[in-house]
Amino acid sequence: MRHLIDIHDLSTAEIESLIATANDIMANPDKYAEKCKRKKLATLFYEPSTRTRLSFESAMLELGGSVIGFSEAASSSSAKGESVADTARTVSCFADIIAMRHPKEGAPLVASMAASIPVINAGDGGHNHPTQTLTDLLTISRVKGRLGNMTVGLCGDLMFGRTVHSLIGALSRYEGIRFVMISPEELTIPDYVQQDILQKNGIPYRETRSLEEAMPELDVLYMTRVQRERFFNEADYIRLKDSYILTPEKLRTAKEDLAILHPLPRVNEISTAVDADPRACYFKQVLCGKYIRMALIMMLLGVD
Ligand code: NCD
């Protein structure tokens, strides 16, 4: 049984084949309209979501399958004290594949050990978000035409931003990748990401507090929201929330072919005045998310 809990569960060849399938779906959607006929996806979301849950659901519907699930813990039996493992065993009786989002790091892994159907991690606490990373890779490969030989700026909440951790894991496999980590001192990338991924693989990276200073060298700028729900203390959130706000002025020194990504939702870290800039890719990214999830669902269900 294949699950997707961590981006490292996929080989580089598999990631590339998912990207190729997603590109083919975009070009020939009709070919895929019945690929998952009579298959059911269960979306078990214990945390808020707009894009991830709805893109999973529309992905399954566009494959001819159907969808069940819940979108808040309060409306599931977890409110009565049921464990994630028991919920996963139960849902295995009803569905063919699970996408789970949970505030606790490791919950989807626990679910995958109890489930008898594939489990996809749709975000676990401040840890990982592998399907956002697949979305990001598809977007970067379509916009830039490559995944290596780039300087990638990661900006904002690098400590709690789970999408950043998975993205570093995936991009680190490619030749010629360099990272510039742009964050306040309190929100730098966790030690395990630095040690287990960056240092272990000898990936060049540097840290800076200044977006302006980093801007001219970037090929990709990945903006993130300060993750309010992961803070222990509201005062710290308020102090840090406006650390970086991308505006048209700050883009003046940027490369002409910079790609600006953001997993969304945005709060205020990208001014809406940037949306009209041709370098803004974050809504393209949302669309890519649906197609790569279609490819992933087919792969995990063994649909050819
Ligand atoms: C991200 C997440 O949930 O981690 N959103 C998403 O899935 N597109 C980013 C965020 O919430 O800031």
Side-chain angles (χ1 to χ4, degrees):
M1 176 82 50
R2 285 298 294 276
H3 305 285
L4 176 60
I5 303 303
D6 190 295
I7 195 68
H8 301 301
D9 295 338
L10 294 171
S11 69
T12 307
E14 285 173 324
I15 290 178
E16 274 157 23
S17 133
L18 288 171
I19 291 175
T21 305
N23 281 321
D24 192 56
I25 301 171
M26 282 182 174
N28 311 287
D30 291 350
K31 217 167 98 184
Y32 295 86
E34 302 213 323
K35 288 281 186 190
C36 288
K37 209 171 163 186
R38 286 204 283 277
K39 299 281 186 198
K40 255 180 276 167
L41 164 75
T43 49
L44 313 184
F45 275 56
Y46 297 78
E47 255 197 350
S49 170
T50 297
R51 270 152 297 276
T52 304
R53 186 172 60 84
L54 296 182
S55 74
F56 265 115
E57 295 187 354
S58 57
M60 191 48 147
L61 295 173
E62 288 189 28
L63 290 167
S66 51
V67 175
I68 57 172
F70 53 81
S71 55
E72 51 181 346
S75 66
S76 78
S77 278
S78 86
K80 301 179 186 172
E82 185 170 58
S83 68
V84 156
D86 282 0
T87 302
R89 272 184 86 167
T90 301
V91 173
S92 299
C93 302
F94 306 141
D96 301 284
I97 185 164
I98 290 173
M100 175 182 282
R101 167 169 291 189
H102 202 286
K104 286 215 175 90
E105 287 80 2
L109 174 64
V110 170
S112 71
M113 295 188 299
S116 52
I117 58 177
V119 175
I120 301 169
N121 177 5
D124 63 327
H127 191 211
N128 283 321
H129 194 345
T131 65
Q132 182 62 48
T133 294
L134 293 173
T135 301
D136 302 340
L137 296 178
L138 174 61
T139 311
I140 295 171
S141 77
R142 286 179 68 88
V143 173
K144 307 291 297 178
R146 64 186 194 277
L147 289 170
N149 299 314
M150 290 190 278
T151 299
V152 179
L154 303 165
C155 179
D157 187 348
L158 310 186
M159 166 81 78
F160 298 118
R162 54 193 173 196
T163 68
V164 167
H165 307 154
S166 300
L167 183 60
I168 291 173
L171 281 178
S172 292
R173 302 172 184 201
Y174 290 90
E175 287 286 311
I177 283 287
R178 256 185 86 236
F179 293 107
V180 184
M181 314 290 186
I182 309 151
S183 76
E185 181 121 41
E186 292 93 330
L187 298 178
T188 55
I189 42 165
D191 289 346
Y192 78 90
V193 177
Q194 299 206 34
Q195 284 153 19
D196 300 351
I197 305 175
L198 295 167
Q199 288 161 13
K200 196 168 143 195
N201 297 298
I203 311 297
Y205 72 100
R206 70 183 181 89
E207 293 189 316
T208 173
R209 306 283 159 255
S210 165
L211 176 56
E212 287 87 333
E213 181 258 317
M215 191 65 85
E217 67 186 297
L218 304 180
D219 299 299
V220 172
L221 171 58
Y222 193 90
M223 294 295 295
T224 64
R225 165 180 78 88
V226 177
Q227 306 277 300
R228 179 181 205 160
E229 65 275 40
R230 315 263 179 246
F231 279 71
F232 297 113
N233 177 337
E234 181 76 1
D236 286 341
Y237 168 71
I238 290 168
R239 186 166 49 81
L240 295 169
K241 72 183 174 64
D242 297 327
S243 299
Y244 302 99
I245 298 176
L246 184 64
T247 58
E249 295 73 63
K250 286 187 194 151
L251 282 167
R252 272 201 211 120
T253 60
K255 290 189 181 170
E256 252 170 55
D257 64 347
L258 171 72
I260 307 165
L261 276 74
H262 189 310
L264 303 181
R266 126 176 90 182
V267 182
N268 64 345
E269 56 282 347
I270 301 181
S271 145
T272 53
V274 174
D275 298 359
D277 191 303
R279 293 169 289 191
C281 299
Y282 28 94
F283 288 105
K284 248 181 234 164
Q285 206 178 338
V286 176
L287 190 62
C288 284
K290 180 180 72 177
Y291 292 107
I292 201 82
R293 288 183 175 99
M294 290 173 77
L296 177 68
I297 290 170
M298 288 196 294
M299 182 188 138
L300 293 179
L301 287 178
V303 172
D304 99 74

